[in-house]
Amino acid sequence: IIDMIEKEDPVISEEEAAQYDRQIRLWGLEAQKRLRGSRVLLVGLGGLGAEVAKNLILAGVKGLTLLDHEQVSEESCRAQFLVPVTAQGQNRAQASLERAQNLNPMVEVHADSDKVEDKPDDFFLQFDAVCLTGCSRDLMVRVDQLCSQHSIKVFCGDVYGYYGYMFCNLGQEYNYVEEKPKIVKPTGGSDGPEAKKAKVDPNETTMVKKTASFCTLKEALEVDWTSEKAKASLKRTPVDYFLLHVLLKFRTDKGRDPDPQCFAEDSQLLRQIRDDVLEALAVSGGLLNDDFISYCFSEMSPVCAVVGGVLGQEVVKALSQRDAPHRNLFFFDGRKGNGVVDYFGPN
């Protein structure tokens, strides 16, 4: 039920056992073996990408490919700690390579300066998981549909000012194990109400096999808000979901994210896009007030740290098939300091 890792069983060397000692105690040897048999593609080396790269390299995947065609700018240095300050004008993936590799010599880290849009389908098929940051909605939908047909796990994430999100698609039937406290069955013989109750033994745990089902990004973004069921759930729906639609549309229309250099112009555009998006989704225009506008400019490093921590953790959980995954969208609001997980999809 738990997927086989590469044909030969990756044996963990003494050196690796020492390096990964703390996490092997945390999630077990089997999970670590699965991790170190996995190859991951990370697209986009902004502030969020740097956090995810660090977390995956330290966790000990087999290989990580950093794909980014952009050049290092003053803006991208601010929230991105893998790029040296002297690297302005260089390719972001190449400039991040040295510090990334130094984090853990046991992981094969590669830099690729091609444009992700130019990559053929078969490029993505060499990976066990693909993580997309800073990409357009069209590209994310295309890669997600391709990967889900080939059982490759897909993650998407972005940080916009104080806001951040993460999406994952682990396939229609994702199997994992979860550690649960062991329930001790009552022994026969004694009578009275106490004897009937099963007791939870806090010192003993047991592994429970579970299955979860995920949908594609296209389905998660194309919820029909006119259906009675969706209308009824609207009150419980995080407004961050609609904010994500607005910010993805801004990126589609402008080919970039809201820029502090064009604050007045971009604020006006965000207001317009907000109105158009909410109208197109057939939900009330009052759902998302103007308040969000001044808080979604540029990547803020503390928000990158939180979202990158969650995103990295979810990739590790999915590759090691250990513990319950976030299904299927996680939103972080740095103004409130809270995160929320919610499922969006056909059902």
Side-chain angles (χ1 to χ4, degrees), residues 244-265:
L244 174 59
H245 273 273
V246 173
L247 292 164
L248 288 177
K249 181 153 173 34
F250 185 101
R251 186 180 283 174
T252 300
D253 292 356
K254 296 289 281 186
R256 61 170 176 83
D257 290 333
D259 183 352
Q261 306 284 328
C262 322
F263 184 77
E265 178 194 333

Side-chain angles (χ1 to χ4, degrees), residues 51-338:
E51 290 284 353
V52 175
K54 165 193 61 113
N55 294 332
L56 295 179
I57 292 167
L58 292 176
V61 293
K62 181 179 182 68
L64 179 67
T65 298
L66 312 174
L67 176 64
D68 194 325
H69 70 284
E70 301 263 358
Q71 290 185 328
V72 177
S73 62
E74 190 188 346
E75 168 74 14
S76 65
C77 285
R78 286 183 194 144
Q80 219 278 34
F81 51 76
L82 293 175
V83 168
V85 192
T86 52
Q88 285 203 30
Q90 292 177 31
N91 170 268
R92 283 204 302 196
Q94 304 282 2
S96 303
L97 184 60
E98 188 183 349
R99 287 184 181 176
Q101 185 63 79
N102 288 343
L103 289 169
N104 188 348
M106 293 180 203
V107 176
E108 301 162 21
V109 187
H110 303 281
D112 186 330
S113 56
D114 288 354
K115 201 171 179 179
V116 62
E117 284 83 359
D118 299 340
K119 290 289 190 191
D121 285 0
D122 59 359
F123 168 75
F124 298 96
L125 305 184
Q126 57 184 311
F127 301 100
D128 300 287
V130 171
C131 182
L132 306 170
T133 71
C135 296
S136 70
R137 175 175 171 158
D138 289 349
L139 179 94
M140 292 192 288
V141 166
R142 177 198 137 202
V143 173
D144 176 50
Q145 285 184 314
L146 168 74
C147 291
S148 52
Q149 284 160 11
H150 293 87
S151 306
I152 296 165
K153 298 169 174 70
V154 180
F155 299 85
C156 305
D158 276 303
V159 167
Y160 303 93
Y162 283 76
Y163 305 103
Y165 86 96
M166 177 215 84
F167 164 83
C168 68
N169 175 6
L170 307 180
Q172 288 181 319
E173 195 180 313
Y174 167 70
N175 301 307
Y176 63 98
V177 293
E178 203 171 9
E179 199 171 356
K180 293 276 192 198
K182 200 168 187 178
I183 304 221
V184 185
K185 295 278 191 302
T187 47
S190 60
D191 47 1
E194 281 304 305
K196 303 271 191 299
K197 281 188 191 152
K199 290 190 172 63
V200 174
D201 183 347
N203 302 318
E204 289 224 26
T205 58
T206 178
M207 287 300 184
V208 183
K209 288 180 179 174
K210 295 196 165 181
T211 303
S213 173
F214 289 79
C215 69
T216 61
L217 177 65
K218 188 175 194 294
E219 291 171 313
L221 292 174
E222 289 181 0
V223 173
D224 175 11
W225 293 99
T226 58
S227 74
E228 288 310 312
K229 196 175 172 192
K231 273 183 187 166
S233 69
L234 206 52
K235 284 190 179 67
R236 298 191 309 276
T237 302
V239 295
D240 311 67
Y241 174 81
F242 301 103
L243 176 58
L244 174 59
H245 273 273
V246 173
L247 292 164
L248 288 177
K249 181 153 173 34
F250 185 101
R251 186 180 283 174
T252 300
D253 292 356
K254 296 289 281 186
R256 61 170 176 83
D257 290 333
D259 183 352
Q261 306 284 328
C262 322
F263 184 77
E265 178 194 333
D266 285 2
S267 297
Q268 194 54 46
L269 191 58
L270 281 165
R271 201 171 280 117
Q272 184 58 53
I273 290 175
R274 185 265 321 268
D275 295 345
D276 297 347
V277 161
L278 296 182
E279 189 181 349
L281 291 172
V283 292
S284 151
L287 258 181
L288 199 54
N289 61 32
D290 285 0
D291 212 17
F292 79 92
I293 291 172
S294 58
Y295 291 97
C296 59
F297 284 79
S298 85
E299 282 192 307
M300 290 183 57
S301 42
V303 180
C304 292
V306 174
V307 179
V310 173
L311 188 41
Q313 158 198 292
E314 289 307 303
V315 177
V316 167
K317 284 186 343 196
L319 293 173
S320 59
Q321 289 174 277
R322 183 73 202 263
D323 296 328
H326 284 346
R327 180 175 173 268
N328 56 353
L329 271 156
F330 162 79
F331 297 106
F332 178 69
D333 181 340
R335 296 169 66 197
K336 296 180 187 151
N338 69 2

